[in-house]
Amino acid sequence: ERDILNEALEALQDDRSTTVIIEGEAGIGKTRLAEYLLQQARSSRVTTLIGTGDEIGKSSLYNAWRSIFNQLFNIDRNIIEGKRESLEERRKSIYKKLNELAPDMVQFAPLLNAVLPLDFADNELTEQMTGEVRANNIHSLLNKLLFIAANRDPLLLVIEDAHWMDSASWALAQQVN
């Protein structure tokens, strides 16, 4: 199993996308394998973003992706470092980072509410989006942000306890490549 993970990490470092799914009975060592991969990735200077499915969050859309996008926008880091940002400061920070990463996507910032607790007010464009159109645009925005991050540095996404993921998290996971 470690050889497979090492090969996948090498592919990632060679700018080749790969997917590895670790599945098995509870207690068999899946988390240890994931920890091994994360340790190898960090020592190889690969950017790592970690998400987790959980039983309680299964009813919340994109729950497994929340921590990934918190990490991408450094929200968790600011909290860890003791920087208590107000909601307005967090919004400004997200707009700034979004403008740096994908200026053409700033108008879609309110769609980040689906993943991050930002309470952005809908704008003229996003208020018209409902149902499947809104979901497709959310997926496009999130995919583009991950794509941009992956083009800066090799990017390893790890989602633990995927069996607890909600349907929107699964839909996004299937689209991420």
Side-chain angles (χ1 to χ4, degrees), residues 31-71:
T31 297
R32 287 201 189 266
L33 283 172
E35 289 169 353
Y36 169 81
L37 178 61
L38 289 167
Q39 180 183 22
Q40 297 302 109
R42 289 177 182 135
S43 67
S44 301
R45 300 178 198 256
V46 170
T47 300
T48 59
L49 300 175
I50 306 162
T52 305
D54 66 66
E55 184 175 11
I56 295 171
K58 188 173 182 172
S59 61
S60 299
L61 298 179
Y62 303 104
N63 187 60
W65 292 92
R66 284 201 174 112
S67 62
I68 288 173
F69 286 95
N70 275 332
Q71 293 164 63

Side-chain angles (χ1 to χ4, degrees), residues 19 65 139 143 159 165 167-177:
T19 300
W65 292 92
H139 288 177
N143 268 311
I159 298 179
M165 287 194 331
S167 60
S169 290
W170 275 113
L172 182 59
Q174 290 173 332
Q175 291 180 358
V176 171
N177 53 17

Side-chain angles (χ1 to χ4, degrees), residues 107-108 110-111 121-135 137:
Q107 62 188 345
F108 294 98
L111 299 179
D122 272 325
N123 56 37
E124 288 182 23
L125 176 66
T126 60
E127 72 184 358
Q128 297 175 31
M129 296 178 191
T130 60
E132 190 175 337
V133 170
R134 191 172 189 92
N137 279 287

